Amino acid sequence: MKAFQLVAWQKPPELREVPVPEPGPGQILVKVGGAGACHSDLHLMERPAPKRPVKLPFTLGHENAGWVEKLGPGATGFAPGDPVIVYGPWGCGNCKNCRMSMENYCENAGGIARGGGLGGYDGGMAPYLLVPSSRFLVPLGTLDPREAAPLTDAALTSYHAIKRSLHLLGAGSTAVVIGAGGLGQMAIQLLRALAAAATIVAVDTSSSKLETAKHLGADEGLLSGDAAVTRIKDMTRGQGANLVIDMVGVNPTLQTAAQVARTLGHLTIVGLGGGALPVNFYSPPHECSVASPYWGSITELMEVVSLAQAGKIRMLVEHFPLERVGEAYQLLHSGKINGRAVITPNR
Ligand SMILES: [Zn+2]
Ligand SMILES: [Zn+2]
């Protein structure tokens, strides 16, 4: 089969011929329906070799859904043909965080757990994906894997980032989402579904993305800049927002986030933009907590799937066959994908 593989650091990935994997004990082979193209793949392609040794080549694609193809010896809980979504960060399954379902923070993974497509293991940009354990699969029910794939990263990451701050989002509260691309669009829908009483504000440099944000449930869409800061302050009687999620994470967006967050609020950095947030006694505001959540838990993925099944969240997706994967990443790189580019290796 053809697989889109990272062959060398800071070199463009290549479509290469590889064998179809055979599932070993406890493993499950998944026929890939959709594999989402994520901004973090662009970081992977552009970054220098990591300090932690990672075996090359490996197949990209960490946002995967498909159908169970074959169960390895002893694997249970699923049958061939079942539509499934694949939980992305693969932990050890035995440490305390893993047993609390937070395999993203596996204590034996050296900080954060990485699964297929993120270093070491092969990902889903190929017709078949080998998943090490059935505990990484969540049934999709009536959802189409080609449409659902982004739920496991774009939606799960946003869901976890919001859920941990829900206690701040009661009546009269304000949530600001900076960056209204794929993750931001999902965050807006999730805020609408989970924090119905909150006022939701989207901030972006693109007026068309702000239009989409409003369509998806944002109460206001503001173009990035000083006027956005003033408007958010005005809307909140000078207090600022209870929750600010920065989906971009570059210096200007982090600066905006610190300016519009309120005392006792949450400032949550999701974007991998590589910016730095200056912290001193006056900024961010007093007792405003800053966090950089990474992905989410398996049980949260189940909750995200439930929300999608109920029709409360929906990802805008643009499909590309595997032969056009390079083009999909180029469009993503130039900001021309509105929503998520999803590769469909089996059509
Ligand atoms: Zn990702
Ligand atoms: Zn673990």
Side-chain angles (χ1 to χ4, degrees):
M1 64 177 186
K2 282 270 190 288
F4 189 60
Q5 294 199 315
L6 194 66
V7 179
W9 299 104
Q10 296 181 306
K11 291 256 165 60
E14 294 170 19
L15 266 179
R16 304 173 77 232
E17 192 63 35
V18 300
V20 175
E22 184 61 30
Q27 300 179 332
I28 293 188
L29 187 67
V30 171
K31 182 175 178 181
V32 179
C38 177
H39 268 281
S40 54
D41 294 326
L42 297 174
H43 287 280
L44 261 180
M45 293 173 197
E46 289 157 11
R47 65 163 298 163
K51 284 194 197 89
R52 179 183 72 101
V54 170
K55 194 167 75 53
L56 293 176
F58 68 86
T59 307
L60 289 165
H62 57 272
E63 193 178 80
N64 306 306
W67 302 270
V68 170
E69 176 74 11
K70 191 174 178 186
L71 285 78
T76 56
F78 292 87
D82 285 353
V84 290
I85 190 159
V86 183
Y87 178 72
W90 297 343
C92 72
N94 294 312
C95 72
K96 192 170 179 197
N97 288 347
C98 282
R99 288 186 183 201
M100 290 194 298
S101 180
M102 294 187 285
E103 301 219 10
N104 46 327
Y105 297 137
C106 174
E107 294 166 20
N108 294 317
I112 50 171
R114 295 170 177 85
L118 284 171
Y121 301 104
D122 287 324
M125 300 256 171
Y128 295 95
L129 167 69
L130 187 63
V131 178
S133 166
S134 62
R135 77 176 189 280
F136 300 131
L137 300 182
V138 172
L140 275 176
T142 53
L143 298 175
D144 180 344
R146 285 166 287 226
E147 306 292 328
L151 295 175
T152 194
D153 182 12
L156 176 56
T157 298
S158 302
Y159 184 82
H160 176 65
I162 291 165
K163 194 180 172 188
R164 61 188 294 284
S165 301
L166 274 184
H167 60 290
L168 300 178
L169 298 178
S173 65
T174 302
V176 172
V177 177
I178 302 176
L183 258 68
Q185 291 170 10
M186 186 47 76
I188 288 158
Q189 295 177 68
L190 288 164
L191 284 164
R192 196 77 288 161
L194 301 174
T199 298
I200 303 164
V201 181
V203 178
D204 202 286
T205 53
S206 149
S207 41
S208 74
K209 288 199 173 133
L210 291 174
E211 278 310 309
T212 307
K214 283 198 264 185
H215 181 70
L216 293 173
D219 297 290
E220 289 229 19
L222 303 174
L223 282 169
S224 309
D226 292 342
V229 175
T230 306
R231 174 71 188 133
I232 292 164
K233 283 287 170 72
D234 286 349
M235 290 170 69
T236 56
R237 295 172 292 105
Q239 301 302 302
N242 305 71
L243 169 64
V244 183
I245 303 184
D246 186 350
M247 296 295 185
V248 187
V250 295
N251 286 335
T253 59
L254 289 168
Q255 189 188 345
T256 299
Q259 286 172 320
V260 302
R262 80 162 66 188
T263 297
L264 296 168
H266 280 183
L267 192 171
T268 303
I269 304 168
V270 175
L272 299 173
L277 175 73
V279 174
N280 61 39
F281 187 77
Y282 301 100
S283 178
H286 299 299
E287 297 199 37
C288 174
S289 301
V290 176
S292 58
Y294 172 75
W295 229 325
S297 69
I298 298 176
T299 49
E300 284 170 337
L301 176 58
M302 291 170 158
E303 292 166 16
V304 164
V305 169
S306 298
L307 277 171
Q309 285 169 340
K312 296 194 186 237
I313 53 170
R314 192 173 64 85
M315 195 83 198
L316 302 172
V317 301
E318 201 173 323
H319 289 137
F320 293 83
L322 188 57
E323 306 84 73
R324 287 175 60 208
V325 59
E327 182 192 335
Y329 278 111
Q330 272 167 13
L331 290 168
L332 179 67
H333 195 262
S334 50
K336 293 203 178 99
I337 300 283
N338 196 13
R340 204 65 155 174
V342 171
I343 312 305
T344 54
N346 288 292
R347 301 298 158 96

